[in-house]
Amino acid sequence: MEILKKAKAVVKNTPKFMFWTMPRSIFGWRSIVSNHQHLTDMMDTLRNPHCPMCEKGVMFVHKDAEPDENALYPWTCSGGCGFGVFTQKNQKAINEVLLPLITKKGRAQLNGMSEEEQTGLIKSHTRQSRIFWVFAALCPLIALYSFATGSVGLTCISILSMTLPFSILAIKWSYRAWQVRTGTLYVEGAFKQFVKRGLWIPRVEI
């Protein structure tokens, strides 16, 4: 009787294994999910405010974070400086808490820079943007070459998938350069306008 139960269980689970579990394993489902989370975190670096303490990291809520008794989530610095605040888990809430402080500090720093220093900062950000655009352009070529030379398909897909994160980083530094150039610091909706007007495209200026 026990053998019969085990046999039924095997028959019942076989379709799931063949048509769901095994294909997901073959196509690297876990890797895809992990890469998706990584891309989501990278997008947050574009939208979320910078840490007002170290100015190197951005404020984010860890995916495993739990709310406190007031339903507020811990926002921490991605740079690991230790700064953090509790607020609701949405862009509007964290912006309302930090943007007044960041804007005041950022404008003071920008106003304290000479024209030469601002130009140097713009060039530095633009240079980083162009480097990442080059990496983004190389990924499809490397993936195509790998495919042509007989590499495993999953390897080629992994290489090709790096185009997106490199593009995100390129847009990020292009946006930072535009912010310094125009003095548009932490203005609500500025990034959306930056993207809509195509200012993220190399060589396109306002």
Side-chain angles (χ1 to χ4, degrees):
M1 201 68 179
E2 185 68 24
I3 296 176
L4 184 59
K5 287 182 178 180
K6 290 183 178 179
K8 287 182 178 179
V10 170
V11 172
K12 180 179 180 181
N13 293 325
T14 296
K16 179 181 179 181
F17 175 78
M18 292 182 62
F19 298 106
W20 181 251
T21 305
M22 187 171 67
R24 290 204 312 170
S25 176
I26 293 174
F27 289 104
W29 179 258
R30 291 182 180 178
S31 177
I32 292 173
V33 171
S34 177
N35 288 340
H36 173 72
Q37 181 60 46
H38 179 63
L39 292 175
T40 300
D41 292 341
M42 290 184 67
M43 286 301 298
D44 287 342
T45 67
L46 286 175
R47 299 177 298 166
N48 293 358
H50 276 67
C51 173
M53 297 300 293
C54 69
E55 301 181 356
K56 295 179 181 179
V58 294
M59 304 302 295
F60 78 108
V61 177
H62 195 275
K63 61 181 180 180
D64 299 325
E66 296 290 339
D68 64 7
E69 62 276 7
N70 298 317
L72 302 179
Y73 286 82
W75 289 74
T76 55
C77 173
S78 64
C81 74
F83 178 78
V85 296
F86 278 85
T87 187
Q88 297 176 7
K89 192 179 180 181
N90 58 69
Q91 294 290 325
K92 183 178 180 180
I94 188 63
N95 285 340
E96 288 178 349
V97 172
L98 295 183
L99 283 189
L101 176 61
I102 296 174
T103 301
K104 181 178 179 180
K105 188 174 182 179
R107 290 193 180 282
Q109 290 178 336
L110 189 60
N111 293 335
M113 287 184 178
S114 65
E115 185 175 344
E116 183 178 349
E117 289 174 327
Q118 290 186 26
T119 301
L121 188 59
I122 292 171
K123 287 182 178 180
S124 175
H125 290 345
T126 302
R127 188 182 305 113
Q128 291 186 72
S129 176
R130 289 174 178 172
I131 289 173
F132 283 117
W133 277 127
V134 170
F135 288 160
L138 285 175
C139 285
L141 298 178
I142 296 174
L144 184 61
Y145 175 79
S146 299
F147 181 75
T149 54
S151 295
V152 179
L154 186 58
T155 300
C156 299
I157 293 174
S158 297
I159 296 173
L160 184 62
S161 69
M162 291 303 296
T163 302
L164 185 55
F166 281 138
S167 297
I168 292 173
L169 288 171
I171 294 172
K172 170 185 175 179
W173 289 112
S174 179
Y175 179 56
R176 300 302 179 215
W178 177 77
Q179 283 184 302
V180 177
R181 185 185 301 114
T182 61
T184 310
L185 301 179
Y186 315 110
V187 176
E188 186 176 357
F191 180 70
K192 184 182 294 186
Q193 291 300 319
F194 174 80
V195 173
K196 282 185 176 180
R197 294 168 61 186
L199 303 176
W200 52 275
I201 303 174
R203 290 193 167 186
V204 174
E205 304 291 342
I206 60 172

